[in-house]
Amino acid sequence: VDFGPLQVVAGPRYDRFDLTSVNLTNGFAGARVDDKVSPRLGLILKPTQDISLYASYATTFLPQSGDQFAVLSPTTQLLVPEKFANVELGAKWAITRRLFATAAVFRRDRSNTQSPDPANSGQVLLTGETRVEGIELSLAGDVTEDLQVTLGYGLLDGEVRSPTSAAPAGRTLQAVPHRQASAWARYQLSERFALGAGLIHQSDRFATISNAVVLPGYTRVDAALFYDVTDAVAV
């Protein structure tokens, strides 16, 4: 809905997952149906023609079989889906007609995550809750007629929100780098020939929820050459 400088985007999304599987190792035939309505609400304010401010809230869910829909077990067949709640505030600025900057802060809460049941070996409980908060900045577009750039920076903070047998509340979430950055530039030397270069950096992170093992950070450097052999063939 458009109210002049303010736009409202709202609506529900309905998803239904109907999964059946057979474990060829033990012969277990599993079946489960998950269907939910996921609401979404967004507000977009344009104080000027070149600037947009926005806020959004949305929820989604994922069956316990995962995004690859793994074979169901007697346990996962009984578990309700994981739930994700996302809140984001941000701004977009058209510096020129072909150069855009964005900034956003966000929070994602994840619940109904699995954790081992300390009272029943081999069973799980849906008690896990985690949160990831962060800031993302980006700049993309044409700095000049011949120079294109894409720059990005992210600051992330992830933690366990509820105590389980796997981890206490407040422990740092695994596989979440605190800092990540990327940069790419392409320069058009002539009508047919261009050079490109860039890098990707991620800081270290914990490998597991125990926080006992640290994966070191890394920086990867890329370079490329582009040549248009003809109007239809490029290498």
Side-chain angles (χ1 to χ4, degrees), residues 116-192:
D117 184 350
N120 297 284
S121 178
Q123 301 297 312
V124 298
L125 297 174
L126 293 186
T127 58
E129 294 183 7
T130 63
R131 171 176 289 176
V132 175
E133 298 176 317
I135 299 172
E136 290 185 342
L137 307 173
S138 70
L139 178 68
D142 297 341
V143 178
T144 68
E145 184 176 347
D146 298 320
L147 178 61
Q148 301 173 348
V149 299
T150 302
L151 306 175
Y153 178 79
L155 192 64
L156 301 174
D157 183 21
E159 70 171 3
V160 177
R161 297 286 292 172
S162 63
T164 68
S165 60
R171 178 168 289 177
T172 300
L173 195 61
Q174 78 276 18
V176 178
H178 186 56
R179 295 179 303 277
Q180 52 188 10
S182 63
W184 178 259
R186 170 174 170 152
Y187 189 77
Q188 199 72 32
L189 290 173
S190 66
E191 184 178 349
R192 295 187 178 274

Side-chain angles (χ1 to χ4, degrees), residues 211-226:
N211 288 182
V213 178
V214 177
L215 294 174
Y218 70 90
T219 300
R220 191 188 81 207
V221 179
D222 300 319
L225 302 175
F226 305 91

